[in-house]
Amino acid sequence: MVKQQFKAESKRLLDMMINSIYSQREIFLRELISNSSDAIDKIYYKALTDDNLNFDKDSYYIKVAVDKENRILKISDTGIGMTKEELENNLGVIAKSGSLAFKDENELKDGHDIIGQFGVGFYSAFMVADVVTVISKALGNDDAYKWESAGADGYTIVPCEKDSVGTEIVLKIKENTEDESYDEYLEEYRLKAIIKKYSDFIRYPIKMDVTEKRLKEGSENEFEDYCEEQIINSMVPIWRKNKSELTPEDYENFYMEKHYGFDKPIKHIHISVDGAVRYNAILFIPENIPFDYYTKEYEKGLELYSNGVLIMNKCSDLLPDYFSFVKGMVDSEDLSLNISREILQHDKQLKLIAKNIKTKITSQLQSLLKDDRDKYEKFYKSFGRQLKYGVYSDFGSNKEVLQELLMFYSSKEKKLVTLDEYVSRMPEDQKYIYYASGETYERIEKLPQTELVLEKGYEILYFTEDIDEFAVKMLMTYKEKEFKSVSSGDLGIEAEESQNNTDSEENENKDLFDYMKNILSDKVKDVRISKRLKNHPVCLSTDGEVTIEMEKILKTMPGNQNIKAEKVLEININHEVFKSLKDAFEKDKEKLNLYTNLLYNQALLIEGLPINDPVEFTNDICKIMV
């Protein structure tokens, strides 16, 4: 019997699994029972497609057995079992469950929920066991095999005897240490409690021999112990129970059991509808963003059941993209068990369910915003970006649904505020909802373009995400108030008298500004007097719909077509720098060229834009120091 080695990466993962991935050791039993349930699921699915295979539900179960004296805990099932090759492939390479191969072989593109006979969770057994033995006989095979391992040192696979199809996992429970008591995993009451806590909704019976007391025959007050096999789990799906029977912990346990996430949900939504279409649903709004949320690998969708039987693992048609973070399930008696994705896309009942779910999620988020602001802000920091994408996508068709849920950082409140809160505080003379864009709140606060707006006492919304400006461009207005960037050409603030003065000064200095514009040639559309600057000498503003921040974002996208903002260099004529410009224009054109380029590069730096020629810029600084 030759001991085989885990692959190097598998050894490292096993060490992590045993020592750090799971914070609670009791979780191992949940993982092993889930694996057993999946093994029975696989037989069930094969029976749906194989006329020669009969699935008698009463013949399928999971058994938990204890041999306290020998410190043995056994979890057995009547599931599909594994061949020698499957034991090698699934257990010799950690985190490879064999589920993908099963799905491919059976053409399960969007079908039954197959989490995996053995995935990473199987190795949690080593948290409580010195030795793990797996005895398995695969469906359709005469031979059985035994896989055994004492941990990262390796494993063996040998032939063995097993009468029936299925898998037994035998754990040699560790001896107690000063820090840990492993005896609890050999106690009936503790095992029952763990099963009820984590696996109560498993569809198949979880059986266990339980010690009970009864009155001795012929005695009035003497009792004796006896052993009877009991079904520990309720097997009643949580979504079919009355809401009044359930606690928040029940929903959290269901969330964990279904592997919806490793966090605690920030809110659950339990829906029971008995109308034009009948369905039950349990939805969860997660607290934390999944690590793969913004990758191609992330799949949105809810589990879809027909009368308690899973027919689709990820039904994307039940959720709009902007609510793709929602996890959960829907069970309807009105859907066909053998329904395909193509039929679902045209199913009127499914569309009605999806419409109701969208409305329910929206109302629940609005309630969360109103009644528990801290929780909503926690949610928004994780998924607010997705709501903004929802506003922007589909040509703004969803903006009416989502605009009340948006939040942005406020210059006045120094925290996130809603658009409704912003508009409710607007002075009567304020025409626009003002916003400023930048990488951080701190950088935005220092932007010269904010000076005039803040001096007027107007609130500014700070945009730090790349989607922000695109979203409000799609919104266009909120409660008839138009959005306006503090960098836009016309802020709608200047008084008529001030405008006349500016026009007069523009004419007076026209030759100077034309000369500077000529120096900068294709870099800016115009050079003009600033109506917004108070303390800073220079800034960039924009004419047209594309702002500087939007230009920066578009530049990073493939096929951006070199879309640029129409930049305007604004000069503060009340700053001492302007006197130097006028003086150089009259006496030293070479110096004016130097000043113009320095001011333009200064304006670029303020905006976080790259300088075209850093060497030339540093040389120019040196020239004015000499």
Side-chain angles (χ1 to χ4, degrees), residues 39 162 217 259 262 291 349 361 426 508 527-528 534 551 581 620:
K162 190 176 189 306
E217 190 175 345
H259 304 285
F262 296 103
F291 72 92
Q349 291 171 320
I361 294 170
M426 284 175 62
E508 182 182 330
V527 179
R528 63 173 70 130
K534 297 296 177 182
E551 176 191 310
L581 288 174
D620 286 347

Side-chain angles (χ1 to χ4, degrees), residues 452-490:
L452 180 62
V453 179
L454 293 175
E455 187 182 71
K456 289 286 290 183
Y458 297 161
E459 191 171 0
I460 300 174
L461 299 177
Y462 290 177
F463 291 177
T464 55
E465 291 193 313
D466 51 12
I467 189 61
D468 288 343
E469 275 198 273
F470 293 92
V472 298
K473 290 285 184 184
M474 192 59 73
L475 275 179
M476 297 176 65
T477 62
Y478 178 79
K479 293 194 174 178
E480 300 181 350
K481 294 292 185 180
E482 187 182 336
F483 290 90
K484 178 75 72 173
S485 169
V486 296
S487 298
S488 63
D490 178 17

Side-chain angles (χ1 to χ4, degrees), residues 500-515:
N500 292 334
N501 290 339
T502 302
D503 291 342
S504 172
E505 288 162 336
E506 287 277 7
N507 291 329
E508 182 182 330
N509 295 286
K510 185 176 184 303
D511 292 341
L512 168 59
F513 291 139
D514 284 347
Y515 187 89

Side-chain angles (χ1 to χ4, degrees), residues 516-526 562 564-567 600 612:
M516 293 177 70
K517 179 182 175 182
N518 187 55
I519 293 171
L520 298 172
S521 59
D522 61 341
K523 295 175 183 176
V524 297
K525 179 187 176 184
D526 200 3
N562 201 28
K564 291 187 176 181
E566 295 182 339
K567 300 180 188 70
Y600 172 69
N612 294 333

Side-chain angles (χ1 to χ4, degrees), residues 416-454:
L416 290 172
V417 301
T418 65
L419 295 176
D420 187 64
E421 289 165 344
Y422 180 100
V423 170
S424 69
R425 290 192 290 267
M426 284 175 62
E428 286 186 21
D429 64 339
Q430 185 177 339
K431 297 178 185 177
Y432 302 109
I433 299 172
Y434 292 103
Y435 68 86
S437 300
E439 293 179 11
T440 63
Y441 302 145
E442 292 75 21
R443 288 191 68 169
I444 295 173
E445 280 186 329
K446 296 175 182 177
L447 286 177
Q449 294 91 328
T450 63
E451 287 185 325
L452 180 62
V453 179
L454 293 175

Side-chain angles (χ1 to χ4, degrees), residues 40 43-44 47 53-61 78 204-205:
I40 300 174
I43 283 195
Y44 166 73
L53 188 60
N54 180 44
F55 186 86
D56 178 9
K57 192 170 182 179
D58 293 337
S59 301
Y60 295 93
Y61 58 88
T78 55
Y204 307 105

